Amino acid sequence: MEKTRQNKEFILEYLNSFAGVKKTRELIERYVSDEHLIEHILFFDSVFPYYDVICDEMTAEGDRLIVRARLKGRHEGEFNGIPPTYKEVEMPFVISYQIENRKIISHWLIADQLVMLEQLGVMQAA
């Protein structure tokens, strides 16, 4: 039980440290050793500089946590061929983290990019 509480606190610290700041490799590596997650964060910060992640729900057991959250940011960089629109977006996602010694060692992510594409004006809601 203590480990679960510590891991929840760690993830909240991690998310709060990224709020509204440039996500540098140095900052990310304080919390993350999963290279795929590091690259993902750097990419999204290049597209939505200084984006925030709002945690809506967190579930944990042992060294694994699942977070339901929203990315909030402004589209200022190219995203998969879409030039900057300078529109604000809020994209829901769910991410699972595995934590070891206060580091995220692996993750799994699913995001509702259709919602984001609708907000950017490049897709229409059905």
Side-chain angles (χ1 to χ4, degrees):
M1 210 48 135
E2 180 67 17
K3 184 74 157 173
T4 299
R5 184 186 60 75
Q6 288 173 350
N7 285 336
K8 283 182 171 182
E9 290 173 358
F10 168 74
I11 289 298
L12 289 174
E13 175 187 327
Y14 156 73
L15 294 175
N16 287 333
S17 74
F18 284 23
V21 302
K22 179 158 182 60
K23 284 98 179 137
T24 63
R25 180 171 281 276
E26 178 184 23
L27 172 61
I28 299 165
E29 287 178 347
R30 288 183 200 162
Y31 300 95
V32 180
S33 64
D34 177 346
E35 189 61 34
H36 292 291
L37 183 55
I38 293 169
E39 292 301 322
H40 179 82
I41 293 167
L42 290 171
F43 171 75
F44 268 84
D45 200 55
S46 74
V47 176
F48 304 100
Y50 310 104
Y51 71 83
D52 286 325
V53 171
I54 294 91
C55 178
D56 294 318
E57 184 177 0
M58 185 184 310
T59 304
E61 180 142 350
D63 67 348
R64 296 193 179 271
L65 286 92
I66 296 175
V67 177
R68 185 176 58 81
R70 294 168 282 137
L71 176 146
K72 288 182 75 170
R74 183 177 159 152
H75 180 217
E76 296 183 16
E78 183 179 321
F79 179 74
N80 296 338
I82 302 167
T85 62
Y86 301 98
K87 293 182 178 180
E88 298 289 328
V89 299
E90 186 170 317
M91 179 179 62
F93 66 95
V94 175
I95 189 164
S96 170
Y97 299 111
Q98 183 177 4
I99 300 169
E100 187 175 284
N101 298 321
R102 289 188 50 86
K103 287 266 187 171
I104 297 168
I105 62 168
S106 69
H107 81 290
W108 176 89
L109 171 74
I110 187 167
D112 192 344
Q113 290 190 11
L114 182 58
V115 166
M116 180 185 61
L117 294 173
E118 289 170 352
Q119 293 171 15
L120 294 177
V122 297
M123 297 274 305
Q124 297 221 344

